[in-house]
Amino acid sequence: MDKNQFTGLFLIMLIMVGSFFLLKPSAEEVKKEQLRQHNDSLRRASITRASNAKPTANAAAAPTVDSAVLKGPFGGAISGTEQLITLENKDVRLKVSTHGGRIYSVELKNYKTFDKKPLILFDGPQNHFGIKLNAGGKSFNTDELYFTPTTPQPANGALTMRLNYSPTQYIDYVYNVGAEGFKVGFDVKPVGMDGVISSKELTLNWASSLHKLEKDIHMERQYSTVYYHDVDGNVDYLSEGKDDSKAIGSDAKKLNWVSFKQHFFSSVLISKNGYKRSNLAVSTDVVSSDIKQMKADLAISPDASGAYPFEFYFGPNQFSVLKAQGNDLEKQINLGWGPLKYINRFAVIPVFNFLRQFNWGYGLIILVLTILLKLVLFPLTYKSYLSMAKMRVLKPEMDEIKGKVGEDNPTLLQQEYMKLYRQAGVNPLGGCLPLLLQMPIVIAFFRFFPSLFELRGQSFLWMHDLSTYDALVTFAPLPLVGWNHISLMCLLMTISTLIITYFNNQTSGATGQMKYIGYISPLIFFGVLNSYPAGLNYYYFLANMITFLQQIFIRQLVDDKKIHAQIQDNKKKPEAKKKKGGFSAKLEEMMRQQQAQQSQQPKKK
């Protein structure tokens, strides 16, 4: 052996010895490997026992591994492959995922999005539905575990997803749908889990990112938020216009249901036992194409059998449909505040549903509804016009008073005007009060039409969808206002309002600033209503046109000469026989006091 060979062999031995010490596993790694081999042997033994055991009525057909001998509690359900199982009826199609056992997506089969695509309320991994529980000293969420269907396919509208803990211990998610309808039965049934789950009161985490379904995402967001209903029958909701959250917690103030409400569709979770405590939240991610993200953390308790019974509602926000479901679901349709909701619920909706029975187009239904409303309000319209006519007849005398008193002393001028009104028997507010009495109905329709599901997708004339705006022209969004279109029906409504304002000024004889103030309001309304439903602007347009025709008719009945003669007769009556309204008396007394204070002030030199 020469020198070079010896050197080579020595280096090889050196490398082998060094590798032995450098790559030697640590004591901790040796223990882990021994534990792994031990668990593998236990797993094989457990599978053998399970395969030899006789199947029971509550056990799955496939052999189940006791999770306790694997990776701890629910060890066999920690990993798996996601599969989607379809459960459907005539109205809804659900896809239930083995990952979390949850409803992965909901499709309403008889409806389409604004662009004629399948209407899917939600889907995808950004949606969550799981129950938090503690087992074996560890915290779990069923949304992260893998379930197994007890049968390969749903049978008779029923599907059971099972979360295995051991062959005799598991949690079942039981889904049921009827032959038709929008309700889905959902029961959570723990079996043999009393000694495993540390508490019977659990927390249900429900979160959903709701898809854009309508043409105008800004309007859709404006009418979408989280609604909730308590045991006393009260319905409330989080803010519609901004991110909001609320904690509700007391045994005496349980919630019956929580709804992720969109503009025209809702996902509602109804608890038959009630939610003791709730944390609700809604937010808008402007980067996302979805309308809003909604979340609910709900404290749930079992019934006498140990189960947790629920019901889902996935369907339209149509008043009659929601009311038929029970549980006051129709109260999540926002019909306005205070008396407005009662006007809409007990007057407008019944009349609207009555007209629907004739199977007319919705353009004709709105026309007839407007005519009926204007007929009911005709006495107020007549009284308002008559009052404006009296003010017009008095205008020459008012101008004469103004010429004598001058404009330097407005308090004295108004005092003289009030004296003239009292002598003539004219109420200066007579033209405004009838209009104010009509305002609740006008505002009620402002809430009614945007919430009216029946208008969705219905066309009339050039308007392809009465539930959204009808764009005459579109353009890049304007700074500040954000408009990207001009609504033709809103434009016609504004023009008709300006025409009505012009004729009202002619009737009342308004001059100066009062003459032009009336022209500003229609322009403001145009800015507000440009993105509102064409059906609402169509109603306002019809109301203006009918009002205009009513005024032409009333003008034929009202004779200015007779009004002037009546005013002169009132002026001849003794003061004691003239009625003095409470408001007029207070106003006149206030002006008299103000005039006295001004007369006592020292004059400036």
Side-chain angles (χ1 to χ4, degrees):
M1 182 180 297
D2 60 14
K3 182 178 180 181
N4 291 334
Q5 290 176 333
F6 177 80
T7 302
L9 289 173
F10 179 78
L11 291 175
I12 291 173
M13 291 178 61
L14 187 63
I15 292 172
M16 292 177 62
V17 172
S19 300
F20 175 79
F21 287 99
L22 291 175
L23 300 178
K24 181 181 178 180
S26 63
E28 183 179 356
E29 290 174 336
V30 171
K31 289 182 179 179
K32 285 184 178 180
E33 178 62 18
Q34 291 174 347
L35 180 61
R36 184 188 67 78
Q37 294 176 2
H38 178 68
N39 287 340
D40 286 344
S41 62
L42 289 177
R43 179 176 179 273
R44 287 191 294 270
S46 177
I47 293 175
T48 302
R49 288 194 302 270
S51 60
N52 293 332
K54 293 182 179 181
T56 63
N58 293 328
T64 305
V65 179
D66 189 337
S67 65
V69 302
L70 289 176
K71 304 173 184 177
F74 298 109
I78 291 176
S79 61
T81 301
E82 183 176 33
Q83 297 179 352
L84 299 179
I85 302 172
T86 301
L87 180 65
E88 62 183 319
N89 63 11
K90 179 182 176 182
D91 298 298
V92 298
R93 179 180 291 115
L94 312 176
K95 289 186 178 181
V96 182
S97 173
T98 56
H99 188 202
R102 63 184 177 87
I103 297 176
Y104 179 88
S105 69
V106 175
E107 178 185 351
L108 301 183
K109 299 166 68 173
N110 300 318
Y111 300 97
K112 300 293 182 181
T113 63
F114 74 99
D115 50 357
K116 309 305 179 184
K117 295 180 180 179
L119 196 149
I120 298 174
L121 296 181
F122 59 85
D123 63 358
Q126 68 273 32
N127 300 279
H128 301 279
F129 187 93
I131 297 175
K132 292 178 63 176
L133 45 86
N134 291 315
K138 294 183 179 180
S139 178
F140 295 90
N141 194 313
T142 60
D143 187 54
E144 301 170 351
L145 303 175
Y146 284 85
F147 287 63
T148 304
T150 58
T151 56
Q153 294 296 329
N156 299 320
L159 171 66
T160 299
M161 302 293 288
R162 179 161 295 175
L163 176 61
N164 289 302
Y165 186 84
S166 76
T168 58
Q169 296 171 299
Y170 49 84
I171 298 174
D172 279 347
Y173 281 5
V174 183
Y175 297 95
N176 286 282
V177 296
E180 60 182 6
F182 303 103
K183 275 192 173 180
V184 179
F186 173 62
D187 292 331
V188 178
K189 296 182 176 181
V191 175
M193 300 295 289
D194 290 343
V196 177
I197 301 176
S198 60
S199 174
K200 290 187 177 182
E201 182 178 301
L202 307 176
T203 299
L204 190 155
N205 304 130
W206 183 27
S208 188
S209 184
L210 303 178
H211 293 331
K212 177 179 182 291
L213 306 176
E214 313 303 330
K215 179 179 179 180
D216 187 353
I217 191 170
H218 300 290
M219 182 63 66
E220 192 173 6
R221 283 173 173 164
Q222 183 176 333
Y223 283 84
S224 300
T225 190
V226 178
Y227 275 70
Y228 54 93
H229 177 275
D230 64 31
V231 292
D232 296 328
N234 302 312
V235 172
D236 205 348
Y237 55 95
L238 302 185
S239 173
E240 295 174 317
K242 62 180 181 180
D243 293 358
D244 194 14
S245 62
K246 187 172 184 179
I248 306 168
S250 97
D251 292 345
K253 200 67 172 178
K254 287 184 179 180
L255 299 185
N256 286 338
W257 53 257
V258 173
S259 172
F260 291 173
K261 176 186 173 293
Q262 297 177 243
H263 191 174
F264 289 122
F265 300 92
S266 287
S267 303
V268 186
L269 182 59
I270 306 164
S271 172
K272 297 180 181 179
N273 296 332
Y275 306 115
K276 288 186 176 181
R277 289 176 302 280
S278 309
N279 288 291
L280 312 175
V282 60
S283 63
T284 302
D285 182 0
V286 294
V287 178
S288 172
S289 60
D290 289 349
I291 56 168
K292 282 186 178 178
Q293 292 76 43
M294 302 183 186
K295 183 179 180 181
D297 294 334
L298 309 167
I300 57 176
S301 298
D303 59 15
S305 67
Y308 301 80
F310 301 92
E311 253 183 341
F312 283 106
Y313 170 82
F314 301 114
N317 293 333
Q318 187 173 358
F319 190 89
S320 57
V321 174
L322 288 173
K323 189 174 181 179
Q325 311 303 316
N327 295 293
D328 293 332
L329 291 187
E330 74 277 5
K331 289 184 178 181
Q332 65 180 310
I333 298 180
N334 192 339
L335 297 175
W337 51 268
L340 304 183
K341 63 181 178 183
Y342 298 108
I343 293 173
N344 280 324
R345 181 163 185 172
F346 299 109
V348 179
I349 289 179
V351 174
F352 183 83
N353 289 335
F354 171 77
L355 296 176
R356 287 179 59 207
Q357 297 176 356
F358 296 99
N359 294 320
W360 297 335
Y362 282 95
L364 180 58
I365 290 177
I366 295 174
L367 172 61
V368 175
L369 181 65
T370 309
I371 292 174
L372 292 176
L373 177 64
K374 284 297 180 180
L375 289 176
V376 171
L377 297 177
F378 180 76
L380 293 176
T381 304
Y382 176 81
K383 189 172 182 180
S384 176
Y385 183 91
L386 186 61
S387 181
M388 288 189 293
K390 290 179 180 179
M391 293 297 295
R392 184 181 67 249
V393 171
L394 275 180
K395 189 174 184 305
E397 296 184 47
M398 294 174 64
D399 291 340
E400 184 177 350
I401 293 174
K402 186 176 181 180
K404 292 180 180 179
V405 177
E407 300 183 14
D408 297 335
N409 195 338
T411 303
L412 179 59
L413 180 62
Q414 290 298 324
Q415 193 173 351
E416 292 296 323
Y417 281 165
M418 294 300 298
K419 182 179 179 181
L420 175 64
Y421 297 150
R422 187 178 70 253
Q423 291 175 346
V426 175
N427 184 355
L429 300 178
C432 299
L433 290 177
L435 294 177
L436 289 176
L437 293 175
Q438 298 180 49
M439 284 304 295
I441 299 178
V442 174
I443 299 174
F445 274 85
F446 181 79
R447 293 297 312 192
F448 173 71
F449 279 104
S451 301
L452 190 59
F453 178 86
E454 285 81 353
L455 296 184
R456 186 179 186 272
Q458 299 296 324
S459 62
F460 180 67
L461 299 177
W462 68 86
M463 296 169 283
H464 300 297
D465 187 347
L466 290 170
S467 70
T468 188
Y469 61 83
D470 56 316
L472 173 64
V473 292
T474 58
F475 39 79
L478 297 177
L480 301 179
V481 294
W483 295 350
N484 64 350
H485 68 275
I486 292 179
S487 169
L488 177 56
M489 184 51 72
C490 185
L491 185 62
L492 293 176
M493 181 274 298
T494 303
I495 294 173
S496 66
T497 307
L498 291 172
I499 293 174
I500 292 292
T501 301
Y502 171 78
F503 280 96
N504 284 342
N505 286 341
Q506 296 296 314
T507 302
S508 63
T511 58
Q513 293 181 350
M514 293 300 298
K515 181 178 180 180
Y516 298 103
I517 287 177
Y519 294 111
I520 298 176
S521 297
L523 299 178
I524 295 175
F525 288 148
F526 175 79
V528 173
L529 298 174
N530 186 49
S531 294
Y532 269 73
L536 175 63
N537 287 312
Y538 172 56
Y539 158 72
Y540 285 145
F541 170 77
L542 291 175
N544 286 339
M545 292 296 95
I546 296 174
T547 299
F548 180 66
L549 294 176
Q550 285 180 334
Q551 289 185 354
I552 294 177
F553 174 72
I554 294 172
R555 187 175 296 180
Q556 305 302 317
L557 302 178
V558 175
D559 188 342
D560 286 3
K561 293 182 179 179
K562 290 183 179 180
I563 293 175
H564 184 267
Q566 182 182 1
I567 289 175
Q568 298 307 316
D569 289 341
N570 287 335
K571 291 169 69 175
K572 294 177 183 179
K573 292 180 181 179
E575 288 289 331
K577 293 185 179 181
K578 294 176 182 177
K579 294 183 179 180
K580 196 172 186 179
F583 179 79
S584 299
K586 291 179 180 179
L587 183 60
E588 188 173 350
E589 178 63 25
M590 183 180 66
M591 290 181 177
R592 186 179 295 109
Q593 293 176 0
Q594 187 174 357
Q595 177 67 19
Q597 292 176 359
Q598 290 180 355
S599 63
Q600 294 176 3
Q601 293 178 357
K603 295 182 179 181
K604 295 182 179 180
K605 296 183 179 180

